[in-house]
Amino acid sequence: MKVKEVADLAGISVRTLHHYDEIGLLVPKETTEAGYRLYTQDDVELLQQILFFRELGFPLKRIKEIIDDPSFDREEALRMHRSILLEQRSRLNRMIMTIDKTIQHAKGEIQMADKERFEGFDFSRNPYEEEARKRWGDTAVDQANAKAAHMTKEQQDAFHQVYVNLAAVRHLAPASEEAQTAITAWYVLLNEWGNYSPEAFRGLGQMYVADERFTNNIDQFGEGLAQFMCDAMGIYADNQS
């Protein structure tokens, strides 16, 4: 299949596939004499696995490391992903039941105890992140929560503006000049009140997508911003090495 056919099949952009090719994550095994990429069935299966990892919030560089590892077991990875999705489905079902009860309570059809209002919510842990960390390791920066809690009003305003600037370029490739300029400003700002090495910066970006609390807060500035920042921060870290 040609790149447009694969993009349409997977529901992603042609630009995304070109980027995967450029970084060596998914390089089509064949090309035509005219230079068009041709994707085999093996390429399509590998793309599916890459997108599974993306769903889990893994940055592209880490995905490449995992699938290039000789010990990588595709079937094991699929089983893990299935387990994670089943747990996520169970949690969502509990939340849907809570919503249904809340609607009935609002209509006066049932009485709802305060404790019932919060069934399905669990911000104390992230089982998807935990299982992924156990299997493939983790470089996230665990100090980020504590640091974020002590920002001044001026820092909050500065952070807000950086998010706005990043949201404005999130439609571009994370490796683009505009994206890297905006993410560099983020790195500089963070180091005005903390001490982030490029690797710690990468880890913070991974937390943005591994912890849904971060994702939800960041994506208020634009859908997909957390993932975009994670990818851009990983590319920034790579460029510093």
Side-chain angles (χ1 to χ4, degrees), residues 144-160:
N145 281 327
K147 288 181 177 292
H150 294 89
M151 286 192 294
T152 66
K153 178 64 166 61
E154 289 183 355
Q155 287 172 330
Q156 290 174 2
D157 290 342
F159 276 45
H160 181 278

Side-chain angles (χ1 to χ4, degrees), residues 148-209:
H150 294 89
M151 286 192 294
T152 66
K153 178 64 166 61
E154 289 183 355
Q155 287 172 330
Q156 290 174 2
D157 290 342
F159 276 45
H160 181 278
Q161 188 57 52
V162 171
Y163 283 133
V164 170
N165 294 343
L166 282 162
V169 298
R170 73 185 189 282
H171 62 287
L172 302 175
S176 67
E177 182 178 351
E178 295 87 345
Q180 285 302 300
T181 297
I183 212 67
T184 298
W186 182 230
Y187 181 75
V188 171
L189 180 59
L190 283 174
N191 277 284
E192 288 181 1
W193 63 285
N195 183 22
Y196 284 86
S197 66
E199 279 305 309
F201 188 57
R202 183 204 307 279
L204 182 61
Q206 292 172 358
M207 183 176 289
Y208 290 166
V209 292

Side-chain angles (χ1 to χ4, degrees), residues 120-131:
F121 292 99
D122 184 2
F123 298 113
S124 63
R125 57 187 289 270
N126 186 331
Y128 327 123
E129 175 190 1
E130 289 170 8
E131 186 165 354

Side-chain angles (χ1 to χ4, degrees), residues 3-4 6-17 20 47 51:
V3 62
K4 181 66 166 59
V6 176
D8 290 342
L9 178 68
I12 58 178
S13 67
V14 170
R15 175 185 292 178
T16 295
L17 287 174
Y20 288 176
L47 174 60
L51 296 181

